[in-house]
Amino acid sequence: MQRLLKFLHTMGAVGFMGSLACLLVLENLAPPPSSLASYALILGAMGMIAKWVLFPSFVLTLVPGLLALAVTPAFHNAGWAWIKAASGILVFAGGLHALGPIQEEARLSAEAIAGRFDPARLEGVSQGTAATMWFLLAIATANVVLGIWRQRIVR
């Protein structure tokens, strides 16, 4: 059971970090909203990556990680495990902060293409979104480091 949880947790982390990297690349490629067709295409791709890769990967990382924490007695007093669990809250909040607006902007740009939304009202992907994604990637990397080296951090 513990090996299965570790495998699922690791696979989720791979998908989460990979999807964040993809989102950062696409965010840098996104044209301004005035190039509506290209903008809608890039934002649509970003929205799909967030919906079908990032969010499921996050759940696949979080749930087995918390289950492993609960069922493994050695983790109950391991400071590194509790730090990883606490950072999961940061990642969850940051994910909602960054990816909700991406999906909303993708939806609005698709509506603008269909003629149901004024393209002049599109805001564009903000630099704050990219900063949040970089922050999430840094937290995820720190979690990988903690998981591999398991420093003797006390509670």
Side-chain angles (χ1 to χ4, degrees), residues 20-55:
L20 277 175
C22 289
L23 288 171
L24 283 165
V25 168
L26 289 174
E27 189 270 337
N28 282 323
L29 292 174
S34 57
S35 302
L36 186 57
S38 299
Y39 180 76
L41 182 66
I42 294 288
L43 265 287
M46 290 175 73
M48 295 304 272
I49 289 169
K51 180 179 180 178
W52 294 108
V53 182
L54 189 120
F55 286 134

PDB file of all heavy atoms in Angstrom, residues 20-55:
ATOM      1  N   LEU A  20       2.792  22.848 -15.076  1.00  0.00           N
ATOM      2  CA  LEU A  20       3.172  24.228 -14.756  1.00  0.00           C
ATOM      3  C   LEU A  20       4.212  24.756 -15.752  1.00  0.00           C
ATOM      4  O   LEU A  20       4.115  25.899 -16.200  1.00  0.00           O
ATOM      5  CB  LEU A  20       3.737  24.319 -13.333  1.00  0.00           C
ATOM      6  CG  LEU A  20       2.743  24.427 -12.205  1.00  0.00           C
ATOM      7  CD1 LEU A  20       3.458  24.377 -10.862  1.00  0.00           C
ATOM      8  CD2 LEU A  20       1.914  25.692 -12.315  1.00  0.00           C
ATOM      9  N   ALA A  21       5.181  23.915 -16.090  1.00  0.00           N
ATOM     10  CA  ALA A  21       6.193  24.330 -17.064  1.00  0.00           C
ATOM     11  C   ALA A  21       5.546  24.627 -18.419  1.00  0.00           C
ATOM     12  O   ALA A  21       5.870  25.635 -19.067  1.00  0.00           O
ATOM     13  CB  ALA A  21       7.266  23.252 -17.201  1.00  0.00           C
ATOM     14  N   CYS A  22       4.610  23.781 -18.842  1.00  0.00           N
ATOM     15  CA  CYS A  22       3.904  24.017 -20.113  1.00  0.00           C
ATOM     16  C   CYS A  22       3.115  25.323 -20.067  1.00  0.00           C
ATOM     17  O   CYS A  22       3.121  26.094 -21.033  1.00  0.00           O
ATOM     18  CB  CYS A  22       2.951  22.866 -20.418  1.00  0.00           C
ATOM     19  SG  CYS A  22       3.779  21.346 -20.878  1.00  0.00           S
ATOM     20  N   LEU A  23       2.438  25.568 -18.955  1.00  0.00           N
ATOM     21  CA  LEU A  23       1.666  26.805 -18.824  1.00  0.00           C
ATOM     22  C   LEU A  23       2.564  28.030 -18.879  1.00  0.00           C
ATOM     23  O   LEU A  23       2.203  29.051 -19.483  1.00  0.00           O
ATOM     24  CB  LEU A  23       0.849  26.799 -17.531  1.00  0.00           C
ATOM     25  CG  LEU A  23      -0.344  25.851 -17.514  1.00  0.00           C
ATOM     26  CD1 LEU A  23      -0.943  25.777 -16.122  1.00  0.00           C
ATOM     27  CD2 LEU A  23      -1.383  26.274 -18.529  1.00  0.00           C
ATOM     28  N   LEU A  24       3.734  27.952 -18.275  1.00  0.00           N
ATOM     29  CA  LEU A  24       4.667  29.084 -18.317  1.00  0.00           C
ATOM     30  C   LEU A  24       5.163  29.342 -19.740  1.00  0.00           C
ATOM     31  O   LEU A  24       5.272  30.494 -20.169  1.00  0.00           O
ATOM     32  CB  LEU A  24       5.839  28.853 -17.367  1.00  0.00           C
ATOM     33  CG  LEU A  24       5.523  29.073 -15.897  1.00  0.00           C
ATOM     34  CD1 LEU A  24       6.602  28.477 -15.012  1.00  0.00           C
ATOM     35  CD2 LEU A  24       5.355  30.564 -15.621  1.00  0.00           C
ATOM     36  N   VAL A  25       5.455  28.280 -20.478  1.00  0.00           N
ATOM     37  CA  VAL A  25       5.895  28.443 -21.869  1.00  0.00           C
ATOM     38  C   VAL A  25       4.783  29.090 -22.693  1.00  0.00           C
ATOM     39  O   VAL A  25       5.011  30.050 -23.437  1.00  0.00           O
ATOM     40  CB  VAL A  25       6.331  27.090 -22.470  1.00  0.00           C
ATOM     41  CG1 VAL A  25       6.497  27.191 -23.977  1.00  0.00           C
ATOM     42  CG2 VAL A  25       7.626  26.615 -21.825  1.00  0.00           C
ATOM     43  N   LEU A  26       3.556  28.561 -22.569  1.00  0.00           N
ATOM     44  CA  LEU A  26       2.441  29.112 -23.340  1.00  0.00           C
ATOM     45  C   LEU A  26       2.120  30.545 -22.929  1.00  0.00           C
ATOM     46  O   LEU A  26       1.775  31.374 -23.774  1.00  0.00           O
ATOM     47  CB  LEU A  26       1.202  28.227 -23.186  1.00  0.00           C
ATOM     48  CG  LEU A  26       1.276  26.883 -23.892  1.00  0.00           C
ATOM     49  CD1 LEU A  26       0.065  26.039 -23.559  1.00  0.00           C
ATOM     50  CD2 LEU A  26       1.422  27.059 -25.389  1.00  0.00           C
ATOM     51  N   GLU A  27       2.262  30.847 -21.642  1.00  0.00           N
ATOM     52  CA  GLU A  27       2.008  32.213 -21.178  1.00  0.00           C
ATOM     53  C   GLU A  27       2.989  33.186 -21.831  1.00  0.00           C
ATOM     54  O   GLU A  27       2.625  34.294 -22.209  1.00  0.00           O
ATOM     55  CB  GLU A  27       2.116  32.267 -19.648  1.00  0.00           C
ATOM     56  CG  GLU A  27       1.669  33.568 -19.037  1.00  0.00           C
ATOM     57  CD  GLU A  27       2.780  34.577 -18.910  1.00  0.00           C
ATOM     58  OE1 GLU A  27       3.957  34.177 -18.876  1.00  0.00           O
ATOM     59  OE2 GLU A  27       2.471  35.781 -18.857  1.00  0.00           O
ATOM     60  N   ASN A  28       4.233  32.748 -22.006  1.00  0.00           N
ATOM     61  CA  ASN A  28       5.229  33.604 -22.660  1.00  0.00           C
ATOM     62  C   ASN A  28       4.984  33.725 -24.157  1.00  0.00           C
ATOM     63  O   ASN A  28       5.404  34.697 -24.779  1.00  0.00           O
ATOM     64  CB  ASN A  28       6.640  33.079 -22.405  1.00  0.00           C
ATOM     65  CG  ASN A  28       7.124  33.441 -21.017  1.00  0.00           C
ATOM     66  OD1 ASN A  28       6.841  34.523 -20.520  1.00  0.00           O
ATOM     67  ND2 ASN A  28       7.836  32.531 -20.392  1.00  0.00           N
ATOM     68  N   LEU A  29       4.314  32.749 -24.754  1.00  0.00           N
ATOM     69  CA  LEU A  29       4.014  32.781 -26.188  1.00  0.00           C
ATOM     70  C   LEU A  29       2.717  33.510 -26.507  1.00  0.00           C
ATOM     71  O   LEU A  29       2.461  33.814 -27.676  1.00  0.00           O
ATOM     72  CB  LEU A  29       3.922  31.357 -26.745  1.00  0.00           C
ATOM     73  CG  LEU A  29       5.204  30.553 -26.799  1.00  0.00           C
ATOM     74  CD1 LEU A  29       4.914  29.125 -27.235  1.00  0.00           C
ATOM     75  CD2 LEU A  29       6.208  31.202 -27.730  1.00  0.00           C
ATOM     76  N   ALA A  30       1.905  33.752 -25.501  1.00  0.00           N
ATOM     77  CA  ALA A  30       0.584  34.339 -25.741  1.00  0.00           C
ATOM     78  C   ALA A  30       0.704  35.737 -26.345  1.00  0.00           C
ATOM     79  O   ALA A  30       1.380  36.593 -25.803  1.00  0.00           O
ATOM     80  CB  ALA A  30      -0.211  34.405 -24.441  1.00  0.00           C
ATOM     81  N   PRO A  31       0.053  35.954 -27.476  1.00  0.00           N
ATOM     82  CA  PRO A  31       0.043  37.289 -28.073  1.00  0.00           C
ATOM     83  C   PRO A  31      -0.914  38.188 -27.278  1.00  0.00           C
ATOM     84  O   PRO A  31      -1.659  37.701 -26.413  1.00  0.00           O
ATOM     85  CB  PRO A  31      -0.484  37.039 -29.482  1.00  0.00           C
ATOM     86  CG  PRO A  31      -1.342  35.835 -29.341  1.00  0.00           C
ATOM     87  CD  PRO A  31      -0.717  34.997 -28.272  1.00  0.00           C
ATOM     88  N   PRO A  32      -0.929  39.467 -27.580  1.00  0.00           N
ATOM     89  CA  PRO A  32      -1.899  40.336 -26.903  1.00  0.00           C
ATOM     90  C   PRO A  32      -3.317  39.982 -27.333  1.00  0.00           C
ATOM     91  O   PRO A  32      -3.526  39.391 -28.401  1.00  0.00           O
ATOM     92  CB  PRO A  32      -1.510  41.739 -27.373  1.00  0.00           C
ATOM     93  CG  PRO A  32      -0.743  41.538 -28.623  1.00  0.00           C
ATOM     94  CD  PRO A  32      -0.080  40.194 -28.513  1.00  0.00           C
ATOM     95  N   PRO A  33      -4.312  40.335 -26.515  1.00  0.00           N
ATOM     96  CA  PRO A  33      -5.698  40.015 -26.868  1.00  0.00           C
ATOM     97  C   PRO A  33      -6.168  40.632 -28.183  1.00  0.00           C
ATOM     98  O   PRO A  33      -7.151  40.175 -28.762  1.00  0.00           O
ATOM     99  CB  PRO A  33      -6.500  40.578 -25.698  1.00  0.00           C
ATOM    100  CG  PRO A  33      -5.549  40.622 -24.560  1.00  0.00           C
ATOM    101  CD  PRO A  33      -4.209  40.896 -25.172  1.00  0.00           C
ATOM    102  N   SER A  34      -5.450  41.646 -28.677  1.00  0.00           N
ATOM    103  CA  SER A  34      -5.852  42.247 -29.950  1.00  0.00           C
ATOM    104  C   SER A  34      -5.695  41.263 -31.118  1.00  0.00           C
ATOM    105  O   SER A  34      -6.380  41.378 -32.126  1.00  0.00           O
ATOM    106  CB  SER A  34      -5.042  43.519 -30.212  1.00  0.00           C
ATOM    107  OG  SER A  34      -3.663  43.232 -30.211  1.00  0.00           O
ATOM    108  N   SER A  35      -4.799  40.284 -30.990  1.00  0.00           N
ATOM    109  CA  SER A  35      -4.676  39.200 -31.975  1.00  0.00           C
ATOM    110  C   SER A  35      -5.592  38.072 -31.514  1.00  0.00           C
ATOM    111  O   SER A  35      -5.148  37.025 -31.045  1.00  0.00           O
ATOM    112  CB  SER A  35      -3.234  38.702 -32.058  1.00  0.00           C
ATOM    113  OG  SER A  35      -2.360  39.731 -32.391  1.00  0.00           O
ATOM    114  N   LEU A  36      -6.886  38.304 -31.665  1.00  0.00           N
ATOM    115  CA  LEU A  36      -7.898  37.484 -31.011  1.00  0.00           C
ATOM    116  C   LEU A  36      -7.802  36.001 -31.336  1.00  0.00           C
ATOM    117  O   LEU A  36      -7.848  35.167 -30.427  1.00  0.00           O
ATOM    118  CB  LEU A  36      -9.299  38.008 -31.341  1.00  0.00           C
ATOM    119  CG  LEU A  36     -10.438  37.326 -30.608  1.00  0.00           C
ATOM    120  CD1 LEU A  36     -10.260  37.419 -29.108  1.00  0.00           C
ATOM    121  CD2 LEU A  36     -11.764  37.920 -31.043  1.00  0.00           C
ATOM    122  N   ALA A  37      -7.650  35.635 -32.583  1.00  0.00           N
ATOM    123  CA  ALA A  37      -7.638  34.211 -32.949  1.00  0.00           C
ATOM    124  C   ALA A  37      -6.459  33.486 -32.297  1.00  0.00           C
ATOM    125  O   ALA A  37      -6.625  32.416 -31.700  1.00  0.00           O
ATOM    126  CB  ALA A  37      -7.597  34.053 -34.463  1.00  0.00           C
ATOM    127  N   SER A  38      -5.272  34.069 -32.394  1.00  0.00           N
ATOM    128  CA  SER A  38      -4.085  33.451 -31.789  1.00  0.00           C
ATOM    129  C   SER A  38      -4.176  33.448 -30.275  1.00  0.00           C
ATOM    130  O   SER A  38      -3.812  32.471 -29.615  1.00  0.00           O
ATOM    131  CB  SER A  38      -2.822  34.186 -32.223  1.00  0.00           C
ATOM    132  OG  SER A  38      -2.667  34.126 -33.615  1.00  0.00           O
ATOM    133  N   TYR A  39      -4.667  34.559 -29.733  1.00  0.00           N
ATOM    134  CA  TYR A  39      -4.811  34.676 -28.286  1.00  0.00           C
ATOM    135  C   TYR A  39      -5.777  33.610 -27.754  1.00  0.00           C
ATOM    136  O   TYR A  39      -5.485  32.926 -26.768  1.00  0.00           O
ATOM    137  CB  TYR A  39      -5.302  36.078 -27.926  1.00  0.00           C
ATOM    138  CG  TYR A  39      -5.486  36.306 -26.453  1.00  0.00           C
ATOM    139  CD1 TYR A  39      -4.391  36.505 -25.630  1.00  0.00           C
ATOM    140  CD2 TYR A  39      -6.753  36.323 -25.883  1.00  0.00           C
ATOM    141  CE1 TYR A  39      -4.551  36.709 -24.271  1.00  0.00           C
ATOM    142  CE2 TYR A  39      -6.927  36.529 -24.531  1.00  0.00           C
ATOM    143  CZ  TYR A  39      -5.821  36.724 -23.732  1.00  0.00           C
ATOM    144  OH  TYR A  39      -5.982  36.931 -22.389  1.00  0.00           O
ATOM    145  N   ALA A  40      -6.915  33.463 -28.409  1.00  0.00           N
ATOM    146  CA  ALA A  40      -7.911  32.481 -27.978  1.00  0.00           C
ATOM    147  C   ALA A  40      -7.353  31.060 -28.078  1.00  0.00           C
ATOM    148  O   ALA A  40      -7.632  30.220 -27.211  1.00  0.00           O
ATOM    149  CB  ALA A  40      -9.180  32.618 -28.807  1.00  0.00           C
ATOM    150  N   LEU A  41      -6.563  30.789 -29.111  1.00  0.00           N
ATOM    151  CA  LEU A  41      -5.974  29.463 -29.270  1.00  0.00           C
ATOM    152  C   LEU A  41      -5.020  29.137 -28.124  1.00  0.00           C
ATOM    153  O   LEU A  41      -5.101  28.066 -27.516  1.00  0.00           O
ATOM    154  CB  LEU A  41      -5.239  29.378 -30.614  1.00  0.00           C
ATOM    155  CG  LEU A  41      -4.614  28.035 -30.949  1.00  0.00           C
ATOM    156  CD1 LEU A  41      -5.686  26.979 -31.139  1.00  0.00           C
ATOM    157  CD2 LEU A  41      -3.765  28.170 -32.198  1.00  0.00           C
ATOM    158  N   ILE A  42      -4.124  30.071 -27.809  1.00  0.00           N
ATOM    159  CA  ILE A  42      -3.156  29.848 -26.728  1.00  0.00           C
ATOM    160  C   ILE A  42      -3.866  29.729 -25.384  1.00  0.00           C
ATOM    161  O   ILE A  42      -3.586  28.821 -24.592  1.00  0.00           O
ATOM    162  CB  ILE A  42      -2.101  30.981 -26.685  1.00  0.00           C
ATOM    163  CG1 ILE A  42      -1.225  30.969 -27.933  1.00  0.00           C
ATOM    164  CG2 ILE A  42      -1.249  30.898 -25.417  1.00  0.00           C
ATOM    165  CD1 ILE A  42      -0.241  29.829 -28.012  1.00  0.00           C
ATOM    166  N   LEU A  43      -4.812  30.635 -25.126  1.00  0.00           N
ATOM    167  CA  LEU A  43      -5.531  30.586 -23.851  1.00  0.00           C
ATOM    168  C   LEU A  43      -6.400  29.341 -23.743  1.00  0.00           C
ATOM    169  O   LEU A  43      -6.546  28.771 -22.661  1.00  0.00           O
ATOM    170  CB  LEU A  43      -6.377  31.842 -23.649  1.00  0.00           C
ATOM    171  CG  LEU A  43      -5.736  32.964 -22.838  1.00  0.00           C
ATOM    172  CD1 LEU A  43      -5.658  32.628 -21.379  1.00  0.00           C
ATOM    173  CD2 LEU A  43      -4.405  33.396 -23.366  1.00  0.00           C
ATOM    174  N   GLY A  44      -6.951  28.896 -24.862  1.00  0.00           N
ATOM    175  CA  GLY A  44      -7.713  27.653 -24.862  1.00  0.00           C
ATOM    176  C   GLY A  44      -6.833  26.467 -24.495  1.00  0.00           C
ATOM    177  O   GLY A  44      -7.233  25.603 -23.700  1.00  0.00           O
ATOM    178  N   ALA A  45      -5.626  26.434 -25.048  1.00  0.00           N
ATOM    179  CA  ALA A  45      -4.683  25.361 -24.718  1.00  0.00           C
ATOM    180  C   ALA A  45      -4.295  25.422 -23.242  1.00  0.00           C
ATOM    181  O   ALA A  45      -4.237  24.395 -22.558  1.00  0.00           O
ATOM    182  CB  ALA A  45      -3.441  25.463 -25.603  1.00  0.00           C
ATOM    183  N   MET A  46      -4.070  26.633 -22.752  1.00  0.00           N
ATOM    184  CA  MET A  46      -3.720  26.785 -21.338  1.00  0.00           C
ATOM    185  C   MET A  46      -4.866  26.317 -20.438  1.00  0.00           C
ATOM    186  O   MET A  46      -4.636  25.652 -19.419  1.00  0.00           O
ATOM    187  CB  MET A  46      -3.353  28.237 -21.037  1.00  0.00           C
ATOM    188  CG  MET A  46      -2.039  28.668 -21.646  1.00  0.00           C
ATOM    189  SD  MET A  46      -1.683  30.426 -21.398  1.00  0.00           S
ATOM    190  CE  MET A  46      -1.265  30.443 -19.653  1.00  0.00           C
ATOM    191  N   GLY A  47      -6.085  26.663 -20.808  1.00  0.00           N
ATOM    192  CA  GLY A  47      -7.238  26.244 -20.030  1.00  0.00           C
ATOM    193  C   GLY A  47      -7.391  24.728 -20.006  1.00  0.00           C
ATOM    194  O   GLY A  47      -7.725  24.141 -18.967  1.00  0.00           O
ATOM    195  N   MET A  48      -7.145  24.092 -21.146  1.00  0.00           N
ATOM    196  CA  MET A  48      -7.256  22.629 -21.212  1.00  0.00           C
ATOM    197  C   MET A  48      -6.147  21.950 -20.405  1.00  0.00           C
ATOM    198  O   MET A  48      -6.390  20.932 -19.748  1.00  0.00           O
ATOM    199  CB  MET A  48      -7.233  22.161 -22.664  1.00  0.00           C
ATOM    200  CG  MET A  48      -8.437  22.642 -23.467  1.00  0.00           C
ATOM    201  SD  MET A  48     -10.003  22.172 -22.730  1.00  0.00           S
ATOM    202  CE  MET A  48     -10.221  20.584 -23.460  1.00  0.00           C
ATOM    203  N   ILE A  49      -4.942  22.494 -20.446  1.00  0.00           N
ATOM    204  CA  ILE A  49      -3.848  21.932 -19.643  1.00  0.00           C
ATOM    205  C   ILE A  49      -4.182  22.051 -18.159  1.00  0.00           C
ATOM    206  O   ILE A  49      -3.984  21.103 -17.390  1.00  0.00           O
ATOM    207  CB  ILE A  49      -2.506  22.629 -19.968  1.00  0.00           C
ATOM    208  CG1 ILE A  49      -2.024  22.215 -21.352  1.00  0.00           C
ATOM    209  CG2 ILE A  49      -1.441  22.304 -18.914  1.00  0.00           C
ATOM    210  CD1 ILE A  49      -0.858  23.026 -21.881  1.00  0.00           C
ATOM    211  N   ALA A  50      -4.709  23.204 -17.764  1.00  0.00           N
ATOM    212  CA  ALA A  50      -5.082  23.385 -16.362  1.00  0.00           C
ATOM    213  C   ALA A  50      -6.180  22.410 -15.949  1.00  0.00           C
ATOM    214  O   ALA A  50      -6.116  21.794 -14.887  1.00  0.00           O
ATOM    215  CB  ALA A  50      -5.534  24.827 -16.119  1.00  0.00           C
ATOM    216  N   LYS A  51      -7.169  22.250 -16.810  1.00  0.00           N
ATOM    217  CA  LYS A  51      -8.329  21.405 -16.474  1.00  0.00           C
ATOM    218  C   LYS A  51      -8.007  19.917 -16.494  1.00  0.00           C
ATOM    219  O   LYS A  51      -8.403  19.182 -15.592  1.00  0.00           O
ATOM    220  CB  LYS A  51      -9.460  21.695 -17.451  1.00  0.00           C
ATOM    221  CG  LYS A  51     -10.712  20.877 -17.218  1.00  0.00           C
ATOM    222  CD  LYS A  51     -11.795  21.247 -18.214  1.00  0.00           C
ATOM    223  CE  LYS A  51     -13.063  20.440 -17.993  1.00  0.00           C
ATOM    224  NZ  LYS A  51     -14.121  20.850 -18.926  1.00  0.00           N
ATOM    225  N   TRP A  52      -7.279  19.458 -17.515  1.00  0.00           N
ATOM    226  CA  TRP A  52      -7.116  18.022 -17.727  1.00  0.00           C
ATOM    227  C   TRP A  52      -5.781  17.463 -17.261  1.00  0.00           C
ATOM    228  O   TRP A  52      -5.627  16.235 -17.191  1.00  0.00           O
ATOM    229  CB  TRP A  52      -7.328  17.681 -19.196  1.00  0.00           C
ATOM    230  CG  TRP A  52      -8.739  17.933 -19.619  1.00  0.00           C
ATOM    231  CD1 TRP A  52      -9.180  18.949 -20.420  1.00  0.00           C
ATOM    232  CD2 TRP A  52      -9.901  17.202 -19.234  1.00  0.00           C
ATOM    233  NE1 TRP A  52     -10.543  18.887 -20.552  1.00  0.00           N
ATOM    234  CE2 TRP A  52     -11.016  17.811 -19.835  1.00  0.00           C
ATOM    235  CE3 TRP A  52     -10.108  16.083 -18.434  1.00  0.00           C
ATOM    236  CZ2 TRP A  52     -12.307  17.353 -19.674  1.00  0.00           C
ATOM    237  CZ3 TRP A  52     -11.396  15.620 -18.273  1.00  0.00           C
ATOM    238  CH2 TRP A  52     -12.482  16.249 -18.888  1.00  0.00           C
ATOM    239  N   VAL A  53      -4.809  18.329 -16.971  1.00  0.00           N
ATOM    240  CA  VAL A  53      -3.511  17.815 -16.507  1.00  0.00           C
ATOM    241  C   VAL A  53      -3.171  18.372 -15.124  1.00  0.00           C
ATOM    242  O   VAL A  53      -2.891  17.604 -14.198  1.00  0.00           O
ATOM    243  CB  VAL A  53      -2.372  18.140 -17.511  1.00  0.00           C
ATOM    244  CG1 VAL A  53      -1.048  17.562 -17.025  1.00  0.00           C
ATOM    245  CG2 VAL A  53      -2.700  17.623 -18.896  1.00  0.00           C
ATOM    246  N   LEU A  54      -3.198  19.689 -14.973  1.00  0.00           N
ATOM    247  CA  LEU A  54      -2.733  20.281 -13.726  1.00  0.00           C
ATOM    248  C   LEU A  54      -3.620  19.921 -12.535  1.00  0.00           C
ATOM    249  O   LEU A  54      -3.121  19.438 -11.520  1.00  0.00           O
ATOM    250  CB  LEU A  54      -2.622  21.804 -13.852  1.00  0.00           C
ATOM    251  CG  LEU A  54      -1.935  22.406 -12.641  1.00  0.00           C
ATOM    252  CD1 LEU A  54      -0.688  23.118 -13.035  1.00  0.00           C
ATOM    253  CD2 LEU A  54      -2.868  23.303 -11.903  1.00  0.00           C
ATOM    254  N   PHE A  55      -4.912  20.155 -12.627  1.00  0.00           N
ATOM    255  CA  PHE A  55      -5.799  19.866 -11.501  1.00  0.00           C
ATOM    256  C   PHE A  55      -5.830  18.380 -11.144  1.00  0.00           C
ATOM    257  O   PHE A  55      -5.684  18.029  -9.970  1.00  0.00           O
ATOM    258  CB  PHE A  55      -7.203  20.411 -11.747  1.00  0.00           C
ATOM    259  CG  PHE A  55      -7.301  21.910 -11.622  1.00  0.00           C
ATOM    260  CD1 PHE A  55      -7.981  22.634 -12.577  1.00  0.00           C
ATOM    261  CD2 PHE A  55      -6.714  22.598 -10.577  1.00  0.00           C
ATOM    262  CE1 PHE A  55      -8.078  24.022 -12.485  1.00  0.00           C
ATOM    263  CE2 PHE A  55      -6.799  23.973 -10.462  1.00  0.00           C
ATOM    264  CZ  PHE A  55      -7.488  24.692 -11.425  1.00  0.00           C
TER     265      PHE A  55
END
